[in-house]
């Protein structure tokens, strides 16, 4: 088994594990983002009053099934995303490094961040139909519905129905917002992680280890959530509509802020945080461990002449 295949499988399993743990908050987030859409603040009925209230009423009315709607498409999306990050990152990074520095082995923060963002955006574009159908499954509720209620039996049924009624264009509804969202998130994640790590070591005297990884990934997850949440809200709303409400990302942003106020783009923020923090902590801490294993392996098995080039 090649290392890439190994990394793909390990990454996919880790991502799906993280999704399983946090999917309930994703469902809550979507319902909070859609609630009161394009209604003035005081006129909007609040069916879901906050993260914990939402979890409680969904569990009471719909049972665990309600919270876990759309988890199949969430897995497919994660695996696609993980695959795109692994598959596109290195070629893009190497290509850029050799164009700019005339050497593919040069590591530069700017180039790495850019390549991470672009491979994330490609993943988001590829996975968008699954995210779309997931959003619609998650907002469906026979008890406290928010958003258009599509009666999809499951993800496959949903994809088929969207394709039959709205065509390819329907499947790719909201893809622009999805790419912006993931591009924002991917470009912030690693730089803030390394920044937090350096600061914590320098100012609080923390040492490299699990506690430092935990603290830095928490800081990174928070930063990611702050920049990613507004485009995420726009994306949920573009996914909900069937084409009659907004013409695109900017139109949706404009109308949302105009009718509901500027904080509307942060609706569902705490639910998003509850989803992103465990996800980031898990993935980044895990990456530290795998990198350590990798380095130990290289130190032990690779001759100095090769190692110097890596
Ligand atoms: C969802 O989309 C439908 C159809 O495009 C629209 O009528 C509705 O206002 C949107 N939002 C909510 C919360 O239902």
């Amino acid at each position: 088994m090649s290392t890439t295949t190994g990394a793909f499988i390990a990454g996919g399993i880790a991502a799906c594990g993280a999704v399983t743990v946090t999917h309930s908050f994703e469902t809550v987030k979507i319902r909070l983002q859609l609630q009161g859409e394009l209604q003035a603040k005081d006129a909007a009925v609040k069916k879901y009053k906050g993260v914990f209230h939402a979890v409680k009423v969904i569990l009471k009315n719909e049972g665990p099934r309600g919270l876990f709607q759309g988890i199949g498409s969430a897995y497919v999306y994660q695996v696609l995303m993980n695959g795109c990050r692994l598959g596109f990152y290195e070629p893009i990074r190497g290509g850029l490094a050799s164009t700019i520095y005339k050497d593919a082995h040069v590591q530069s923060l700017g180039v790495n961040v850019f390549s991470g963002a672009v491979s994330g955006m490609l993943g988001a574009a590829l996975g968008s139909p699954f995210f779309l159908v997931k959003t619609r499954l998650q907002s469906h509720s026979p008890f406290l519905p928010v958003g258009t209620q599509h009666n999809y039996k499951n993800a496959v049924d949903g994809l088929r129905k969207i394709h039959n009624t709205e065509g390819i264009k329907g499947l790719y509804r909201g893809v622009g917002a999805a790419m912006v969202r993931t591009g924002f998130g991917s470009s912030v994640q690693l730089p803030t992680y390394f920044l937090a790590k350096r600061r914590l070591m320098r100012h609080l005297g923390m040492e490299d280890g699990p506690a430092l990884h935990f603290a830095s990934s928490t800081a990174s997850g928070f930063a990611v959530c702050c920049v990613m949440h507004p485009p995420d809200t726009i994306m949920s709303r573009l996914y909900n509509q069937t084409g009659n409400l907004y013409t695109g990302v900017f139109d949706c942003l404009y109308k949302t802020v105009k009718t509901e106020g500027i904080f509307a783009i942060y609706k569902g923020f705490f639910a998003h945080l509850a989803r992103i923090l465990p996800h980031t902590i898990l993935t980044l801490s895990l990456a530290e461990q795998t990198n350590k294993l990798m380095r130990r392996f290289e130190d032990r098995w690779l001759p100095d002449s090769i190692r110097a080039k890596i």
Side-chain angles (χ1 to χ4, degrees), residues 77 80-81 84 118-131 171-180 182 239:
Y77 179 81
L80 279 176
M81 186 57 128
C84 281
V118 172
S119 45
M121 283 163 79
L122 287 171
L126 207 71
S128 187
F130 297 96
F131 219 105
L171 284 174
Y172 277 94
R173 185 179 300 294
V175 67
M179 289 171 76
V180 171
T182 311
Y239 280 166

Side-chain angles (χ1 to χ4, degrees), residues 147-289:
T148 320
Q149 298 293 296
H150 300 270
N151 280 311
Y152 303 147
K153 282 201 272 307
N154 50 44
V156 177
D157 179 52
L159 289 171
R160 194 182 309 127
K161 279 187 177 143
I162 299 172
H163 183 255
N164 289 347
T165 52
E166 305 169 57
I168 297 288
K169 199 173 150 230
L171 284 174
Y172 277 94
R173 185 179 300 294
V175 67
M179 289 171 76
V180 171
R181 164 197 180 273
T182 311
F184 276 23
S186 312
S187 18
V188 169
Q189 190 185 51
L190 286 181
T192 49
Y193 179 70
F194 291 120
L195 181 77
K197 219 168 135 182
R198 273 202 306 275
R199 286 288 145 96
L200 287 169
M201 280 162 103
R202 193 180 311 155
H203 299 299
L204 295 183
M206 287 182 80
E207 274 171 30
D208 203 6
L212 180 68
H213 303 162
F214 183 85
S216 322
S217 48
T218 306
S220 168
F222 186 77
V224 167
C225 198
C226 289
V227 297
M228 200 161 98
H229 194 74
D232 189 83
T233 304
I234 303 299
M235 180 186 73
S236 293
R237 292 177 168 204
L238 290 175
Y239 280 166
N240 160 68
Q241 71 159 351
T242 31
N244 45 0
L245 225 47
Y246 311 111
T247 52
V249 177
F250 289 105
D251 185 44
C252 179
L253 179 66
Y254 175 76
K255 285 183 179 146
T256 299
V257 171
K258 201 172 143 220
T259 45
E260 302 163 60
I262 183 81
F263 291 112
I265 52 175
Y266 275 102
K267 275 184 180 176
F269 178 76
F270 291 107
H272 201 178
L273 204 57
R275 185 186 85 75
I276 270 189
L277 283 185
H279 200 106
T280 315
I281 293 167
L282 246 144
T283 15
L284 289 179
S285 302
L286 201 79
E288 288 276 6
Q289 299 309 318

Side-chain angles (χ1 to χ4, degrees), residues 8 16 19 70-83 123 126-131 133-134 155-156 159:
F8 176 75
C16 288
V19 163
I71 195 156
S73 353
Y75 288 148
V76 174
Y77 179 81
Q78 282 303 325
V79 170
L80 279 176
M81 186 57 128
N82 177 44
L126 207 71
S128 187
F130 297 96
F131 219 105
V133 84
K134 175 181 87 64
V156 177
L159 289 171

Side-chain angles (χ1 to χ4, degrees), residues 21-91:
V21 177
T22 57
H23 191 76
S24 312
F25 292 121
E26 176 78 2
T27 304
V28 168
K29 182 204 78 184
I30 285 167
R31 296 197 186 178
L32 289 171
Q33 285 175 322
L34 290 175
Q35 153 169 285
E37 183 175 9
L38 297 191
Q39 292 171 349
K41 236 176 161 178
D42 356 296
V45 189
K46 278 197 165 175
K47 291 175 179 167
Y48 302 104
K49 297 193 180 74
V51 184
F52 293 108
H53 177 254
V55 171
K56 211 173 74 192
V57 293
I58 296 174
L59 263 183
K60 198 177 109 218
N61 292 325
E62 303 164 44
R65 276 193 70 160
L67 287 172
F68 282 96
Q69 277 175 124
I71 195 156
S73 353
Y75 288 148
V76 174
Y77 179 81
Q78 282 303 325
V79 170
L80 279 176
M81 186 57 128
N82 177 44
C84 281
R85 288 229 168 101
L86 271 170
F88 291 125
Y89 178 80
E90 205 32 53

